[in-house]
Amino acid sequence: MKRFAYELTESWKIAVAQMRSNKTRSTLTALGVIIGIVAVTLMGTAIAGIQIGFDKSMAVFGDDVLYVEQWPWKPVDDWWNYRDRKKIKTEYAEPINRIIAATPNSNLVEAVPTSSLIRSVKYADNEVSNVLIRGTVSDYLITSTFDFKEGRFFNELESRGGANVCVIGYDVADALFPSDSPIEKSVLINGQPFKVIGVIARQGTFLGLFSLDAIVVMPLPAFQKYFSAKSDSDILVKVKDKTRLAEARDELTGIIRRVRALPPEKKDDFSINEQQALKSTLDPIKNSIAIAGLFITGLSLFVGAIGIMNITFVSVKERTREIGTRKALGARRRTILLQFLIESTALCLLGGFIGLTVAYFTCTGIGKAFPSFPIHFSLGLVFVSMIVSILTGLFSGFAPAWTASRLDPVAALRYE
Amino acid sequence: MSSNHVRQAGPIMIDIENITKDYVMGEEIVHALRGVSLQIRSNEYIAVMGPSGSGKSTLMNMLGCLDTPTSGRYEFNGRNVSAMNDDELAAIRNREIGFVFQTFNLLPRADSLRNVELPLIYAGIDPETRRERAARVLQDVGLGDRLDHKPNELSGGQRQRVAIARALVNDPSIILADEPTGNLDSKTGEEIMALFENLYQRGHTIILVTHEANIARHARRTVHLRDGLIESDDGDFGGIGILPMEDRLEADATL
């Protein structure tokens, strides 16, 4: 072991000397690995960024909330079976809550009705289109967590009374009130004024697809008064113990069937959705994107590795006499093998280090220029990149190093 | 030659008995050595001569443990070299043999000190001891002021001195020099030969492989090879180092 460490240090010294004396060649060869590592690392940061964004987007749904809706959160082939389902009505909330209250040891907390549609929102000369207008009750807060930038959510009194008040998302506030506070101002939706009582803090986008901040939330009676036609309704149900989600689901299925008075022989004509199910639908997509990305960028690293292998072969050829001399002076096979392996590994490590530095600054630059771009540079990534560099070096150096170690000293010494 | 003093030879160091070496060259088998027997004692200064194709280089490779014979027995200090594997041979070369090549074979980008340290690296000597010993040997061959010079900053004679220092540094049993003056002018060549004489006087065993008679005359014993056999061996001083009679007859018969 001590002997191995000794040989390792000596080989390392030889490798460094070799790289120094062949600066141009070493740099050009390392360039292949640099590009490869930059590509893989950037892909790694992007994948990590996507993962974080994905988790953040998923968190919007809450992991302890069940969504009673007409459509399931997954692709369906027999869409016609779903299209003709009876709509979910906000009125279900009341009987559901009554049943929950009457059930001892229910695993459900409360049902919250919501009803939504897309409209434009105006204030003075400013207008924001494609805003999600949502009517709900004051208990909405138990199913959806968000922070307030300013103001508050509407209270139970406003909720029941259907006051013309609303809470607006960050994007809406930003677009309509670029310079002053929207609180106590009235925005126009469909020509109807609604007084802003709160602004929700920035929530970002959902999977980068649409903004979660283009939203206006108002009491359900007010919503129904002005927008009842063409709106989609669903019921959000908070679960008591999220470790027993399946049980809660079964319980809720039974309740909805009762509310809808479905005879036992009929299949469910509604879907109960949850974050976990959505995750498991989207995970394979996300994973295949990650694998495909890493594979393609991995190819560039592979090309870099071939470059190293090539140059190590050339180096072995050029230094055949040197290898012969070293063998004559007592270098064993293992020593020669180690020497060339370490040379290629040192090259790859150098490339990996430079590549990582380049990737780091690129990431920081991108992060500064496009804050919304999902990118995440971590220490784990540095560690993995270095391991990958070493493995690349070992992989690309092995064949040439093996050839070198097997050289016949007599032939090597005579080589011209 | 200033001194022609013959030192008393010691115990048998190299004992070769009837070794042959065949090479396959395409479809042909070349018999480079056809049965050579040779004994070399410590403190000998022996020249191996012969024209090209005589098997001289092959014999040198055998003596230097760079290669193993096809048949026959080779004992080095009582150890059977013919049966050794690559790594054992490497260890023998490292400890017992100091090579001096015609083309010096120094590492071009390493300074003198580093070049001389090389065998000690393979012997696993710690860096301080290594440095110290390499510097001392370079001092001995008259290059004490050239420790940090790279080969391209040295003259041919100086390069060969570095190579000799490298051969000496691990205190080997024999110094095996292959045409050590072949790439040097005659004056420098004589200086190198004087250095070998000096080493011999200090008790080193030297095997000189050459085709030049005026280089070989520095040795105290000369072995002539021809067509893979020993043609003559004048190692008959003090009744030691003489070939068995039948081998000489066999060698004569092939002439």
Side-chain angles (χ1 to χ4, degrees):
Chain A
M1 200 56 227
K2 201 178 151 204
R3 171 86 200 207
F4 186 71
Y6 177 89
E7 285 189 3
L8 218 58
T9 351
E10 290 307 325
S11 303
W12 179 257
K13 283 189 203 159
I14 294 170
V16 170
Q18 191 64 28
M19 287 202 297
R20 276 203 177 146
S21 59
N22 270 324
K23 283 197 191 73
T24 319
R25 183 199 279 187
S26 302
T27 316
L28 286 176
T29 316
L31 195 62
V33 176
I34 292 172
I35 293 171
I37 287 289
V38 167
V40 171
T41 311
L42 285 183
M43 186 45 82
T45 59
I47 288 170
I50 289 170
Q51 178 68 52
I52 289 172
F54 183 79
D55 289 348
K56 233 167 89 188
S57 295
M58 285 301 136
V60 167
F61 292 108
D63 56 2
D64 56 354
V65 179
L66 297 173
Y67 291 75
V68 183
E69 295 176 17
Q70 183 184 351
W71 296 87
W73 288 352
K74 64 177 182 205
V76 286
D77 296 327
D78 50 342
W79 54 270
W80 51 88
N81 286 333
Y82 295 87
R83 183 193 53 186
D84 295 335
R85 280 175 164 184
K86 253 189 342 182
K87 298 258 182 217
I88 306 294
K89 293 194 181 106
T90 49
E91 292 81 65
Y92 295 168
E94 209 185 318
I96 294 172
N97 281 333
R98 233 180 306 140
I99 296 170
I100 293 173
T103 312
N105 300 325
S106 170
N107 196 22
L108 304 172
V109 182
E110 189 180 349
V112 175
T114 74
S115 205
S116 317
L117 84 175
I118 304 288
R119 280 291 178 273
S120 297
V121 184
K122 272 190 227 171
Y123 178 77
D125 293 337
N126 298 333
E127 178 170 354
V128 199
S129 48
N130 292 323
V131 178
L132 182 77
I133 314 293
R134 171 167 288 171
T136 185
V137 296
S138 55
D139 282 343
Y140 184 59
L141 286 183
I142 67 161
T143 60
S144 305
T145 46
F146 42 72
D147 297 327
F148 280 90
K149 186 168 165 268
E150 51 186 322
R152 58 175 181 88
F153 204 66
F154 46 83
N155 58 33
E156 208 182 330
L157 203 67
E158 289 161 324
S159 171
R160 284 183 188 279
N164 276 19
V165 295
C166 68
V167 169
I168 60 177
Y170 185 89
D171 285 359
V172 178
D174 199 42
L176 299 183
F177 305 93
S179 50
D180 49 352
S181 167
I183 303 293
E184 292 296 318
K185 310 249 163 60
S186 282
V187 295
L188 289 179
I189 308 167
N190 256 17
Q192 286 299 321
F194 290 87
K195 192 175 74 179
V196 178
I197 56 165
V199 179
I200 301 167
R202 171 173 246 149
Q203 298 200 87
T205 62
F206 179 73
L207 298 178
L209 297 173
F210 54 85
S211 173
L212 294 164
D213 298 314
I215 189 170
V216 171
V217 186
M218 63 178 63
L220 191 58
F223 180 91
Q224 283 170 332
K225 195 162 151 197
Y226 304 110
F227 314 109
S228 64
K230 287 194 174 175
S231 66
D232 285 317
S233 301
D234 36 74
I235 309 282
L236 281 54
V237 183
K238 171 96 166 172
V239 174
K240 217 176 267 169
D241 180 1
K242 63 183 177 190
T243 58
R244 299 189 328 206
L245 212 57
E247 249 171 78
R249 236 184 123 94
D250 290 344
E251 187 185 345
L252 185 59
T253 308
I255 295 173
I256 308 283
R257 288 183 73 97
R258 255 175 83 187
V259 169
R260 282 199 152 179
L262 265 183
E265 70 277 7
K266 287 223 169 154
K267 284 207 278 187
D268 292 349
D269 60 351
F270 53 90
S271 295
I272 294 179
N273 297 319
E274 40 158 319
Q275 181 208 49
Q276 202 50 48
L278 182 62
K279 257 190 178 167
S280 48
T281 311
L282 292 179
D283 266 344
I285 303 171
K286 186 191 68 189
N287 290 343
S288 32
I289 291 173
I291 289 166
L294 278 181
F295 178 75
I296 292 166
T297 46
L299 281 182
S300 69
L301 187 62
F302 186 70
V303 172
I306 299 289
I308 299 264
M309 189 186 287
N310 188 26
I311 215 69
T312 313
F313 263 122
V314 170
S315 181
V316 166
K317 205 82 187 155
E318 276 180 352
R319 287 152 70 195
T320 302
R321 289 240 298 184
E322 179 192 316
I323 295 164
T325 308
R326 287 179 185 276
K327 287 200 157 192
L329 299 182
R332 288 184 294 172
R333 281 182 173 175
R334 193 182 73 183
T335 316
I336 300 287
L337 183 79
L338 206 61
Q339 184 192 327
F340 282 94
L341 269 186
I342 286 187
E343 278 193 35
S344 64
T345 307
L347 263 180
C348 283
L349 262 181
L350 178 79
F353 184 74
I354 297 174
L356 210 53
T357 315
V358 171
Y360 176 74
F361 285 110
T362 314
C363 276
T364 322
I366 292 177
K368 282 223 173 83
F370 313 98
S372 64
F373 203 78
I375 217 158
H376 182 75
F377 200 89
S378 66
L379 203 66
L381 195 71
V382 174
F383 190 67
V384 169
S385 301
M386 283 304 165
I387 297 283
V388 168
S389 303
I390 290 172
L391 289 180
T392 308
L394 292 178
F395 164 78
S396 51
F398 191 79
W402 183 257
T403 315
S405 74
R406 293 272 139 178
L407 281 176
D408 170 22
V410 175
L413 277 171
R414 219 186 285 133
Y415 184 84
E416 295 291 338
Chain B
M1 209 182 313
S2 52
S3 150
N4 208 13
H5 174 66
V6 176
R7 292 176 57 89
Q8 182 59 51
I12 291 173
M13 187 179 276
I14 287 176
D15 189 0
I16 285 178
E17 198 179 292
N18 203 25
I19 62 165
T20 68
K21 183 69 184 179
D22 299 337
Y23 292 109
V24 181
M25 288 248 193
E27 308 234 316
E28 228 176 315
I29 294 175
V30 178
H31 304 283
L33 292 177
R34 295 160 184 270
V36 170
S37 298
L38 186 65
Q39 287 185 328
I40 299 174
R41 293 170 180 271
S42 71
N43 285 350
E44 273 204 82
Y45 190 172
I46 175 171
V48 177
M49 290 195 71
S52 62
S54 60
K56 179 182 57 167
S57 299
T58 308
L59 180 61
M60 186 201 70
N61 292 338
M62 297 294 151
L63 289 171
C65 300
L66 289 164
D67 210 348
T68 46
T70 308
S71 72
R73 195 175 48 84
Y74 176 14
E75 274 185 17
F76 195 107
N77 279 342
R79 295 180 61 193
N80 185 7
V81 174
S82 9
M84 284 185 180
N85 66 26
D86 278 12
D87 282 350
E88 288 169 323
L89 288 173
I92 285 268
R93 291 195 294 267
N94 182 245
R95 278 197 298 271
E96 309 283 9
I97 298 159
F99 286 94
V100 178
F101 303 98
Q102 177 175 1
T103 48
F104 322 136
N105 291 24
L106 299 175
L107 303 188
R109 294 177 201 95
D111 60 22
S112 307
L113 199 62
R114 185 79 188 161
N115 264 296
V116 175
E117 275 183 58
L118 206 53
L120 299 179
I121 292 177
Y122 296 137
I125 309 287
D126 68 274
E128 293 91 78
T129 318
R130 223 158 66 192
R131 194 139 300 224
E132 197 185 301
R133 268 169 71 177
R136 201 175 59 229
V137 181
L138 277 164
Q139 203 92 44
D140 282 354
V141 297
L143 290 175
D145 54 346
R146 297 280 192 277
L147 300 187
D148 53 352
H149 285 54
K150 301 245 169 85
N152 61 4
E153 297 162 342
L154 297 171
S155 72
Q158 289 170 329
R159 286 184 209 181
Q160 196 58 300
R161 279 169 195 272
V162 175
I164 292 169
R166 183 178 66 185
L168 290 170
V169 75
N170 211 8
D171 203 17
S173 300
I174 61 167
I175 292 169
L176 186 59
D178 178 20
E179 305 278 10
T181 60
N183 278 22
L184 302 172
D185 60 70
S186 53
K187 185 169 164 289
T188 318
E190 280 306 321
E191 282 169 24
I192 294 297
M193 292 322 292
L195 180 56
F196 277 121
E197 178 63 31
N198 183 270
L199 293 174
Y200 169 61
Q201 294 300 341
R202 276 154 58 184
H204 287 281
T205 311
I206 298 169
I207 303 174
L208 201 59
V209 179
T210 184
H211 65 279
E212 286 181 75
N214 62 332
I215 295 298
R217 78 187 157 82
H218 291 83
R220 302 301 187 276
R221 174 183 167 193
T222 307
V223 173
H224 279 272
L225 279 169
R226 182 179 286 278
D227 298 332
L229 289 167
I230 290 182
E231 183 184 50
S232 71
D233 180 356
D234 63 2
D236 50 355
F237 52 89
I240 46 176
I242 310 177
L243 286 177
M245 187 53 81
E246 55 274 24
D247 279 7
R248 304 198 108 198
L249 287 174
E250 197 185 311
D252 286 343
T254 60
L255 287 179

